[in-house]
C-alpha cells in the first residue's frame, strides 16, 4: 500500500517542486528586471544632471560675456539658464535623495530659476540688469562651475568603480549611521559647499519670492480657543452657539498660529471644520463634508446662493469671476470690486452643493492676506488703444479694468478683455499703461451659468 502511495505521490511532489522552483526563478527574474530598470533610471537622471549643470555653467558664462546693451541676447541667455535649471531640478527630483541633506543646492537652483525667469520676461531695454544683478550673475557662474566640478568628480568615480544608485537608496532607506558611500559623500560635499556661499543680492524683482505670508501680520488682537469657537458659531449662525464645538491650536508660538474648530453641522448632521487665525480671528477655511448625490439646483441658483452667503458674512463688493463643477458641487471664485476695477489678488472660493444650494466650503486665505487699501491710478491708455494688443481673431464679449499680479508678482492695472477664441473662453489682460499683453487665462464665465 505504501509502495503504491509513494509511486503516486513521488511524481506529484516532483512536479510541485519543479513548479515552485520555476515560480521562484521567474519571481527573481522579474525582481531583477525591476531593479535593473530603477538603476538605469537613476543613472540616466544623474548623468543628465551632471550634463545640464555643465550646460548651465556655460550658458551663464556666455550671458555674462555679452554686451550689457545686447538686451535680446541677454533675454535668450537668461531663458536658456531658466530652462537648464528647470531640467536640473527635475533630474534631482528623480534621484533617491529625500533622506539626504541636499536642500541648500535645491534652494540655490530654485533661486537661479526664479531670478533668470523674472529677468528674462521683463523689458530689458527699459529696465536693464543692474550692477548688483550683474554681480549676481557672475557669482552664479562661479558657483555653478564649482558644483559642476564636484558632480563630474562623482560621475568619474561612478563610471570607474561601477557604483550603483540602488546601494545609495538602500543605505538611505535603512538610515545607516556610517554611510560609507562615494555617491552620498559627493552629494553631501556639494551641499556643504553651497551652504558656505555668501548671501547673494537677487535684486528687487526677486523680493516677492522671499516674502512669506504670515498670520501674525494680520490685523486684530490674538484670540483664545474659546473665542475661536465663538467666532465659528457666529460665522455659521449655529443655533446652539459654540456648544459641541472643539478647538485645537496649530503652530503654537509661531507666526502661523491658528485654531482648527470642528464639530457637527446642525443642519446636515455631517462633520464640519473651520480654520481661524489666532491673530485677529479671521476665517481662513471652512468645510462641511457630505456626499452630494444629485443636482437639483442650476448653476445660476448656486451662484446666487454663494453671493448671498458672502454678503451675509461681511464680504463686501464681491463679484463672481470663475467657476468649476464636479461631483454635484459648484466652486465659484469671487474677487472684490472697487469702483470699476476688479481686484483679483483679493479672491476667495465658495463651494455650493447642487442638491439643495447649501454652502459647504469657503477658502479665504488669499482674501485675508491681500485685503488692504490700494492706490489704483487712472489708466493711461483707452480701452480701444489697449485692445490693439489682442489677437485679431479674438471675439471680445466684454471688457473691464482689473488689478492683477503678473508673472513676476508685480501688481498692475490692466484692461481685461473677455471673449472667445479657438472655441474656448479666455481673459486677456493688457497693461493699461504700456499696452503690453501681460497675461492670458482660460475660464468659465459664472455670470452666464444657466
Amino acid at each position: 500500500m505504501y509502495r503504491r502511495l509513494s509511486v503516486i505521490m513521488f511524481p506529484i511532489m516532483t512536479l510541485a517542486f519543479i513548479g515552485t522552483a520555476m515560480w521562484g526563478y521567474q519571481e527573481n527574474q522579474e525582481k531583477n528586471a525591476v531593479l535593473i530598470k530603477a538603476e538605469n533610471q537613476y543613472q540616466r537622471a544623474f548623468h543628465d544632471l551632471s550634463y545640464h549643470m555643465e550646460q548651465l555653467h556655460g550658458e551663464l558664462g556666455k550671458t555674462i560675456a555679452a554686451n550689457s546693451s545686447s538686451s535680446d541676447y541677454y533675454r535668450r541667455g537668461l531663458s536658456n539658464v531658466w530652462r537648464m535649471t528647470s531640467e536640473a531640478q527635475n533630474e534631482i527630483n528623480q534621484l533617491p535623495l529625500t533622506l539626504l541633506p541636499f536642500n541648500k543646492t535645491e534652494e540655490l537652483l530654485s533661486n537661479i530659476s526664479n531670478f533668470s525667469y523674472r529677468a528674462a520676461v521683463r523689458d530689458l531695454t527699459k529696465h536693464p540688469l543692474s550692477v548688483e544683478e550683474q554681480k549676481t550673475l557672475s557669482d552664479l557662474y562661479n558657483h555653478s562651475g564649482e558644483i559642476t566640478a564636484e558632480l563630474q568628480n562623482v560621475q568619474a568615480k561612478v563610471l570607474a568603480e561601477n557604483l550603483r544608485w540602488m546601494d545609495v537608496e538602500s543605505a538611505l532607506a535603512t538610515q545607516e549611521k556610517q554611510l560609507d558611500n562615494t555617491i552620498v559623500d559627493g552629494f553631501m560635499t556639494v551641499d556643504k559647499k553651497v551652504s558656505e556661499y555668501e548671501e547673494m543680492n537677487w535684486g528687487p524683482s526677486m523680493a516677492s519670492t522671499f516674502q512669506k505670508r504670515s498670520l501674525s501680520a494680520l490685523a486684530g488682537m490674538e484670540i483664545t480657543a474659546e473665542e475661536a469657537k465663538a467666532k465659528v458659531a457666529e460665522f455659521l449662525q449655529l443655533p446652539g452657539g459654540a456648544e459641541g464645538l472643539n478647538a485645537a491650536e496649530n503652530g503654537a508660538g509661531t507666526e502661523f498660529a491658528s485654531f482648527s474648530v470642528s464639530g457637527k453641522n446642525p443642519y446636515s448632521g455631517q462633520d464640519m471644520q473651520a480654520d481661524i487665525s489666532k491673530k485677529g480671528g479671521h476665517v481662513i477655511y471652512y468645510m462641511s463634508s457630505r456626499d452630494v448625490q444629485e443636482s437639483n439646483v442650476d448653476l445660476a441658483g448656486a451662484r446666487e446662493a454663494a453671493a448671498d452667503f458672502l454678503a451675509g458674512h461681511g464680504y463686501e463688493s464681491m463679484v463672481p469671476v470663475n467657476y468649476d463643477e464636479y461631483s454635484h458641487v459648484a466652486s465659484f471664485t469671487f474677487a472684490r470690486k472697487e469702483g470699476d476695477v476688479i481686484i483679483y489678488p483679493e479672491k476667495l472660493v465658495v463651494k455650493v452643493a447642487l442638491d439643495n444650494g447649501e454652502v459647504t466650503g469657503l477658502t479665504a486665505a488669499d482674501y485675508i492676506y491681500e485685503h488692504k487699501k490700494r492706490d489704483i491710478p487712472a489708466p493711461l491708455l483707452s480701452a480701444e488703444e489697449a485692445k490693439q494688443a489682442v489677437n485679431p481673431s479674438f471675439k471680445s464679449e466684454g471688457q473691464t479694468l482689473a488689478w492683477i499680479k503678473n508673472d513676476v508678482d508685480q501688481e498692475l492695472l490692466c484692461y481685461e478683455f473677455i471673449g472667445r477664441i479657438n472655441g474656448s473662453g479666455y481673459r486677456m489682460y493688457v497693461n493699461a499703461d504700456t499696452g503690453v499683453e501681460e497675461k492670458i487665462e482660460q475660464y468659465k464665465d459664472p455670470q452666464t451659468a444657466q
Side-chain angles (χ1 to χ4, degrees):
M1 177 179 176
Y2 289 108
R3 183 180 298 175
R4 185 181 303 172
L5 184 61
S6 63
V7 170
I8 297 172
M9 293 299 297
F10 180 76
I12 295 176
M13 293 300 294
T14 302
L15 290 173
F17 175 78
I18 294 173
T20 302
M22 291 180 64
W23 174 82
Y25 175 78
Q26 186 176 359
E27 285 290 304
N28 187 60
Q29 289 293 97
E30 291 176 357
K31 179 182 177 181
N32 288 338
V34 171
L35 292 176
I36 291 171
K37 183 178 180 180
E39 178 65 27
N40 289 340
Q41 290 175 338
Y42 288 151
Q43 291 287 355
R44 177 190 54 77
F46 170 62
H47 293 299
D48 285 350
L49 170 62
S50 179
Y51 170 76
H52 283 118
M53 284 302 303
E54 183 179 12
Q55 293 293 104
L56 172 63
H57 176 63
E59 197 62 45
L60 283 166
K62 289 189 289 185
T63 305
I64 294 169
N67 192 305
S68 59
S69 62
S70 302
S71 57
D72 287 341
Y73 190 91
Y74 259 88
R75 183 173 291 106
R76 290 198 304 273
L78 289 166
S79 297
N80 285 333
V81 168
W82 171 72
R83 178 176 57 82
M84 292 169 187
T85 307
S86 298
E87 292 282 358
Q89 288 176 292
N90 179 54
E91 284 140 13
I92 288 174
N93 290 333
Q94 295 178 47
L95 295 173
L97 302 176
T98 53
L99 300 176
L100 184 67
F102 203 58
N103 54 306
K104 291 295 182 182
T105 305
E106 292 180 276
E107 182 182 346
L108 176 64
L109 288 175
S110 177
N111 288 336
I112 294 174
S113 178
N114 287 325
F115 172 79
S116 57
Y117 176 78
R118 288 165 184 261
V121 298
R122 83 189 195 205
D123 189 344
L124 292 173
T125 58
K126 295 180 180 178
H127 305 286
L129 294 182
S130 65
V131 175
E132 291 79 9
E133 288 173 322
Q134 291 275 4
K135 183 180 182 305
T136 296
L137 270 181
S138 181
D139 289 341
L140 292 178
Y141 172 72
N142 294 329
H143 295 340
S144 63
E146 292 174 354
I147 295 172
T148 298
E150 291 291 344
L151 287 176
Q152 288 178 341
N153 183 39
V154 177
Q155 186 180 30
K157 291 180 180 178
V158 168
L159 294 173
E161 301 174 24
N162 197 25
L163 300 177
R164 288 165 24 102
W165 272 93
M166 295 303 297
D167 296 334
V168 175
E169 185 177 42
S170 177
L172 292 174
T174 55
Q175 298 182 350
E176 293 178 6
K177 299 298 181 183
Q178 301 296 326
L179 285 178
D180 184 16
N181 187 288
T182 301
I183 297 177
V184 171
D185 293 342
F187 273 80
M188 292 180 70
T189 300
V190 171
D191 207 57
K192 184 175 184 299
K193 185 180 290 291
V194 173
S195 68
E196 294 171 352
Y197 292 153
E198 292 184 2
E199 188 172 346
M200 285 181 284
N201 183 350
W202 296 99
S205 65
M206 285 279 285
S208 60
T209 304
F210 301 110
Q211 291 175 353
K212 294 182 179 179
R213 285 179 163 183
S214 169
L215 291 174
S216 62
L218 298 177
M221 302 293 290
E222 287 194 355
I223 65 172
T224 64
E226 291 301 316
E227 289 172 325
K229 292 193 289 185
K231 285 268 185 185
V232 172
E234 179 185 1
F235 184 81
L236 299 177
Q237 301 174 357
L238 301 180
E243 184 180 354
L245 296 180
N246 300 306
E249 187 172 355
N250 308 310
T254 72
E255 57 186 344
F256 302 103
S258 64
F259 291 101
S260 288
V261 180
S262 58
K264 291 287 184 183
N265 187 324
Y267 304 107
S268 64
Q270 302 297 317
D271 292 335
M272 65 177 184
Q273 178 179 321
D275 288 350
I276 310 292
S277 66
K278 186 173 184 178
K279 182 75 178 294
H282 301 277
V283 178
I284 304 169
Y285 174 80
Y286 162 69
M287 181 183 68
S288 179
S289 58
R290 68 179 180 87
D291 291 331
V292 183
Q293 301 293 336
E294 56 186 3
S295 296
N296 301 319
V297 180
D298 62 16
L299 288 176
R303 182 188 67 232
E304 185 177 352
D308 289 345
F309 176 86
L310 293 177
H313 288 81
Y315 298 99
E316 300 177 352
S317 304
M318 305 298 293
V319 294
V321 295
N322 208 346
Y323 85 95
D324 200 359
E325 180 186 353
Y326 55 92
S327 300
H328 307 293
V329 175
S331 295
F332 293 90
T333 301
F334 285 78
R336 188 172 70 86
K337 190 170 186 179
E338 184 176 314
D340 296 330
V341 183
I342 298 176
I343 314 296
Y344 275 98
E346 297 184 34
K347 63 180 184 294
L348 45 74
V349 178
V350 182
K351 292 185 177 182
V352 180
L354 295 179
D355 56 353
N356 61 6
E358 177 195 4
V359 171
T360 59
L362 171 71
T363 303
D366 286 331
Y367 180 87
I368 66 172
Y369 279 118
E370 300 291 346
H371 185 54
K372 59 188 175 183
K373 181 176 176 56
R374 290 177 169 85
D375 294 323
I376 300 177
L380 297 181
L381 301 178
S382 68
E384 286 303 314
E385 289 172 325
K387 195 175 179 181
Q388 300 303 312
V390 177
N391 190 323
S393 300
F394 179 73
K395 293 181 173 55
S396 179
E397 299 171 353
Q399 64 192 45
T400 187
L401 285 168
W403 188 260
I404 71 166
K405 284 187 177 182
N406 63 11
D407 287 344
V408 293
D409 288 334
Q410 294 175 323
E411 292 194 2
L412 40 83
L413 182 65
C414 289
Y415 281 102
E416 176 190 284
F417 297 99
I418 304 170
R420 302 184 69 80
I421 188 172
N422 300 326
S424 299
Y426 290 91
R427 286 192 176 97
M428 309 287 192
Y429 297 98
V430 179
N431 193 305
D433 293 341
T434 65
V436 172
E437 202 165 37
E438 295 281 355
K439 212 171 188 179
I440 298 174
E441 292 181 348
Q442 193 171 6
Y443 85 113
K444 296 178 182 178
D445 188 357
Q447 296 287 6
T448 60
Q450 299 298 326

